[in-house]
Amino acid sequence: MEFRTIVEIPHASFEIMPCEEVLLVGSCFADGIGRKFNDNGFPAIVNPFGTMYNPASILHTFERLLCSESSEKTLQAIPRIVFLTLGTNHVYRLKETGEIVDNCEKRPASLFQEEELTVCECTNYLRKTVELLKSNNPEVQTILTVSPIRYRKYGYHESQLSKATLLLATSEASMTSTTSNTSYFPAYELLMDELRDYRFYAADMLHPSGQAVDYIWERLNEWCFSREAKSFMEEWHPIRQALSHRPFHPESEEYQRFKAQTQARLQALQEKYPNFKSTIYDTFK
């Protein structure tokens, strides 16, 4: 007897390769998944200009990354794999200019006007983002997700309406012929329809728990990771655990042997996967 509904996810039309660079922009859910990529040996750039919750601000991030010569964070090229994680359709306009701002920078609320983007507006911002990415890298694969994080400040009904707007917009954007390199990954549905229990939420009852993020990560692996990428992670995990080990007696002969063996295993992994980089290794030297 089955006591839960399983979200069926057909395999993606692309595959992530071992140690492939990934770019994630969007809500704080992107931060959680970005950490999973980095922990598992995939170099991930996450929200280079801070967390972005709505489609307009996500577009602004890529305009700054690709079109602003004055920005220190301007990218020469976009990675092949890009995740856009949408949190809300709510935006804030600076009354003085009418511009949608990405960060109110703790300025008085009276300076801003809160608005809700329509499905059409959200879709257009997503299409512009995808077109900008593709103009920089024709091979780019853009993965759209809707963050499962709930927004209590809007009210729970209003939060659901916001998510519904984003779900409709991602569906429109991923199905058009001009964005055929765009896919949708159902992170929102995995938490809301499959896990569907408060034990999979953090203490605030709004954010996914670590266990929920781990599960969504597993399903993401199944959806779009290549066989080679999965093999790499199987090889990397025990080495990563060894690198994270903190000995009671670091000067002991036993630990020095352990350290030498781990370094040899890491070197072999680096030779097998030339793109591999690990920040943990820097602290182990």
Side-chain angles (χ1 to χ4, degrees):
M1 184 178 293
E2 184 61 68
F3 288 98
R4 62 173 180 158
T5 55
I6 304 297
V7 176
E8 300 294 339
I9 313 176
H11 200 279
S13 60
F14 66 93
E15 291 186 327
I16 295 178
M17 303 308 293
C19 312
E20 184 165 11
E21 186 177 18
V22 179
L23 174 59
L24 302 97
V25 173
S27 76
C28 47
F29 182 68
D31 296 329
I33 294 298
R35 282 192 294 271
K36 298 297 290 185
F37 272 105
N38 278 318
D39 289 347
N40 284 276
F42 295 80
I45 303 170
V46 185
N47 284 326
F49 297 112
T51 305
M52 300 294 164
Y53 296 97
N54 64 79
S57 294
I58 288 175
L59 173 61
H60 295 164
T61 289
F62 290 103
E63 288 175 338
R64 293 175 68 183
L65 281 174
L66 298 174
C67 306
S68 174
E69 296 181 359
S70 62
S71 172
E72 294 180 358
K73 296 182 179 178
T74 299
L75 293 183
Q76 296 299 316
I78 288 290
R80 187 178 70 97
I81 304 298
V82 177
F83 284 81
L84 308 182
T85 300
L86 309 176
T88 179
N89 69 329
H90 286 240
V91 299
Y92 293 87
R93 289 188 187 273
L94 186 61
K95 292 180 180 178
E96 183 179 358
T97 64
E99 174 190 12
I100 293 176
V101 298
D102 305 324
N103 190 324
C104 295
E105 298 174 341
K106 298 184 178 179
R107 289 178 286 180
S110 60
L111 298 177
F112 304 93
Q113 178 178 331
E114 184 176 1
E115 297 180 8
E116 296 176 39
L117 298 177
T118 65
V119 173
C120 183
E121 289 171 325
C122 289
T123 302
N124 287 337
Y125 279 120
L126 291 175
R127 285 174 177 164
K128 288 179 181 179
T129 301
V130 171
E131 289 168 3
L132 181 59
L133 293 173
K134 199 168 184 179
S135 68
N136 180 268
N137 181 0
E139 303 301 319
V140 70
Q141 291 290 336
T142 306
I143 299 96
L144 303 178
T145 64
V146 173
S147 169
I149 296 171
R150 305 158 73 205
Y151 288 87
R152 178 167 50 196
K153 65 179 181 179
Y154 301 146
Y156 294 118
H157 178 65
E158 290 77 7
S159 178
Q160 288 292 75
L161 293 177
S162 176
K163 299 295 185 184
T165 299
L166 298 176
L167 290 167
L168 289 168
T170 55
S171 179
E172 289 286 333
S174 60
M175 289 193 302
T176 56
S177 57
T178 57
T179 57
S180 57
N181 61 326
T182 306
S183 306
Y184 177 75
F185 177 72
Y188 178 82
E189 292 82 351
L190 285 171
L191 186 59
M192 300 297 290
D193 296 327
E194 183 170 329
L195 300 181
R196 201 195 301 179
D197 192 297
Y198 278 114
R199 66 194 170 109
F200 294 112
Y201 283 85
D204 64 2
M205 296 293 112
L206 302 174
H207 290 73
S209 67
Q211 188 179 29
V213 173
D214 288 345
Y215 181 74
I216 293 171
W217 170 254
E218 289 177 8
R219 297 299 303 274
L220 182 67
N221 286 188
E222 296 170 2
W223 180 61
C224 67
F225 277 53
S226 66
R227 182 180 302 174
E228 295 84 357
K230 294 174 184 177
S231 295
F232 161 74
M233 286 189 287
E234 289 178 0
E235 296 177 62
W236 163 234
H237 285 168
I239 299 175
R240 181 176 181 273
Q241 289 181 334
L243 291 172
S244 301
H245 178 66
R246 294 293 175 265
F248 287 111
H249 304 289
E251 304 304 324
S252 67
E253 182 178 340
E254 180 182 3
Y255 177 69
Q256 292 306 312
R257 283 197 303 269
F258 168 81
K259 184 176 179 179
Q261 292 171 354
T262 302
Q263 288 174 329
R265 292 167 65 193
L266 180 62
Q267 183 176 350
L269 188 71
Q270 290 174 318
E271 291 174 357
K272 184 174 180 179
Y273 301 99
N275 293 333
F276 172 71
K277 297 176 183 178
S278 172
T279 56
I280 297 178
Y281 177 60
D282 296 333
T283 64
F284 187 75
K285 292 179 180 178

